[in-house]
Amino acid sequence: MMTEFAAPLPILARYAVMVDVGYIYAAAGELLFGSSSRRDFRVDAVPLIQVITKHADEIIRGELLRVYWYDAARDRVPTIDQRVIAQMPWVKLRLGNLNARGQQKGVDAQIRADMEALARHRAITDAVLIAGDEDMVPAVEAAQAFGVRVHLWGIEPPYGTNQAERLVWESDTVDVLDGSFLRPYFSKNPASVDQARSDAALGASPTVPSPSQLFGERHARPSTSRTGGHPILSNTGGFPAISSTGPMPRLGPDRTRVEEAGEHVAQKWILTRGRDNIRDLLPGPILPPVIDKELLVDAEKELGLSLRPYQEAREWLRDAFWERVHREFGISIGKSRG
C-alpha cells in the first residue's frame, strides 16, 4: 500500500512596516515643495498610513503584524495628530523626544530595538523599513541574522540620493515611493504661503533657496562657451528675456556643466575604484544599469539638479563619462559630440 504525502503548505510572510516619520516627511517635503520643514506643509497622516499599508500588502502578500510609526514630540507628549494616529488599528505610535532645535532624539534607537526584538522572537519574516539613515544598518544586519528579509523603501529624491548608500546595499530589496504616490497626502501650509507673500510685499529677504533653485537661476544667465569664450545660452533653456504674458519655458540643465560633471565623475571613479575596475566597463558605450544609476546620482550631487526629466542631458553625461574613460586608456573612437 502506497502512502500519499500531502504537499507542504506554503510559508506565508508575516511582516511589520517600520516608518521613520522624520525621514518620510522631510524627504517628501523636499520633493514636493522644496522644503524639509514641517512648518511649510501639512500631512494627512491617516490616509498616508493606509496607502502605505496597502502598498506593502500588494508587494509582500502576507499577514501584517502592525505598522510602527516612529515620530517625535516635545517631552514625548503627543500632539493631537499623533493621538489620532495612536488610535488607528494595527498602528503603534512610538515617540522620541523633540529638542529645542526641532531635532529628533531617540527615534533611531527605538527602530533598531524593535526590529531586533521582532526578529529575535521570530515574530516576523519580513520588515518594510522606510528610512534613510546609516544608523539603521546594524538593525538591518541583526534582523537578517535571525532570518528576516528587510525591504527598504525610500522617497524619490529631487536630485542625488536621500538614503545612505550602505543602508541600500545591506537591504534585501529596495523600492521608491514617488511624487505621484505621496502628493495626495501633502499640501502646502497656507500660513507659509501667506508669510512668503507678506515678506515679498515688505521687501524682506527670501528664504534660502534650494540647490535646484540656485542652479536654475544660474543658467537663466548667459554662460561662456568652452572654445570661443563668447557668451552662449543654455542649449535647452537659455532664452533671451522677452516681454510675454505667457509662461516661460522650463529651464533645462546647461550642457557644458553636465559634460564637466560626467568627466569629473569618471576621473573620481578612476582614482577611487582603480583602473582595473573601470577597464572592466570597456569598450562601452553601454553601462550596466546599476553603474549607470551611480553615474547619474553622483552627477546630480555635483550639479544640485535632477537630470532625470532630461533624457538628452543624460546622454551628454554618458558621452562625457566615456570620453574621459577612453582618454585614460588611449582609446580613439572617432565620434564627435556635436
Side-chain angles (χ1 to χ4, degrees):
M1 179 178 178
M2 296 182 62
T3 303
E4 295 184 1
F5 293 94
L9 294 174
I11 299 175
L12 296 178
R14 194 166 194 239
Y15 63 95
V17 179
M18 318 185 85
V19 183
D20 181 346
V21 179
Y23 165 74
I24 193 173
Y25 281 11
E30 190 67 42
L31 172 65
L32 300 174
F33 309 115
S35 171
S36 59
S37 173
R38 291 199 200 185
R39 292 189 299 269
D40 292 338
F41 52 86
R42 292 177 175 176
V43 184
D44 202 351
V46 171
L48 175 62
I49 294 171
Q50 292 170 340
V51 76
I52 288 173
T53 304
K54 180 181 178 183
H55 188 55
D57 180 63
E58 291 171 349
I59 292 177
I60 300 184
R61 296 193 175 278
E63 178 189 359
L64 171 67
L65 175 65
R66 67 179 60 90
V67 175
Y68 290 83
W69 194 253
Y70 299 92
D71 205 353
R74 293 286 173 85
D75 299 321
R76 290 188 169 87
V77 177
T79 64
I80 293 176
D81 289 342
Q82 290 168 341
R83 290 175 186 274
V84 172
I85 293 169
Q87 295 178 22
M88 293 179 65
W90 314 115
V91 175
K92 185 73 171 179
L93 176 68
R94 294 280 206 216
L95 287 181
N97 190 40
L98 196 65
N99 66 18
R101 297 182 180 180
Q103 299 170 321
Q104 292 187 161
K105 297 297 180 182
V107 172
D108 289 353
Q110 287 183 332
I111 298 175
R112 291 198 301 270
D114 284 342
M115 185 178 290
E116 291 181 24
L118 291 173
R120 183 181 303 110
H121 296 293
R122 306 201 182 281
I124 56 174
T125 61
D126 296 74
V128 173
L129 175 63
I130 305 180
D133 200 323
E134 189 168 351
D135 288 347
M136 293 295 101
V137 171
V140 171
E141 292 176 331
Q144 290 170 333
F146 287 104
V148 171
R149 294 176 293 259
V150 179
H151 310 276
L152 179 68
W153 292 4
I155 305 302
E156 176 189 1
Y159 63 91
T161 182
N162 55 26
Q163 290 178 295
E165 188 174 41
R166 190 174 165 216
L167 180 61
V168 173
W169 289 350
E170 297 297 339
S171 301
D172 293 293
T173 69
V174 178
D175 196 7
V176 175
L177 305 179
D178 60 19
S180 62
F181 182 95
L182 299 162
R183 190 168 287 109
Y185 315 103
F186 289 78
S187 58
K188 193 70 175 176
N189 190 343
S192 174
V193 175
D194 293 342
Q195 183 63 45
R197 289 173 179 168
S198 175
D199 290 345
L202 296 173
S205 299
T207 56
V208 177
S210 66
S212 58
Q213 290 170 328
L214 284 172
F215 186 87
E217 289 172 1
R218 285 203 302 270
H219 295 296
R221 309 186 190 100
S223 59
T224 303
S225 167
R226 262 182 169 179
T227 54
H230 300 293
I232 59 173
L233 293 173
S234 169
N235 292 34
T236 57
F239 293 92
I242 57 175
S243 177
S244 171
T245 57
M248 290 295 290
R250 181 175 65 172
L251 292 177
D254 178 76
R255 178 168 184 169
T256 299
R257 282 183 54 84
V258 172
E259 291 175 338
E260 289 173 348
E263 293 203 9
H264 187 262
V265 172
Q267 175 66 21
K268 181 174 69 174
W269 285 11
I270 291 168
L271 293 175
T272 59
R273 304 187 182 194
R275 295 178 85 255
D276 289 343
N277 284 328
I278 300 302
R279 184 185 287 109
D280 290 341
L281 300 175
L282 294 172
I286 304 299
L287 284 170
V290 172
I291 303 299
D292 189 57
K293 183 178 179 181
E294 290 182 16
L295 170 62
L296 175 65
V297 168
D298 279 2
E300 287 178 336
K301 286 180 182 178
E302 293 202 12
L303 296 170
L305 177 74
S306 173
L307 299 181
R308 299 169 204 219
Y310 307 102
Q311 183 58 38
E312 188 177 21
R314 296 188 66 172
E315 292 172 0
W316 300 337
L317 176 66
R318 296 182 185 111
D319 287 347
F321 174 87
W322 282 116
E323 183 175 303
R324 176 65 188 89
V325 172
H326 289 154
R327 286 204 313 271
E328 177 71 19
F329 293 96
I331 299 174
S332 177
I333 300 299
K335 178 183 176 182
S336 174
R337 285 179 286 157

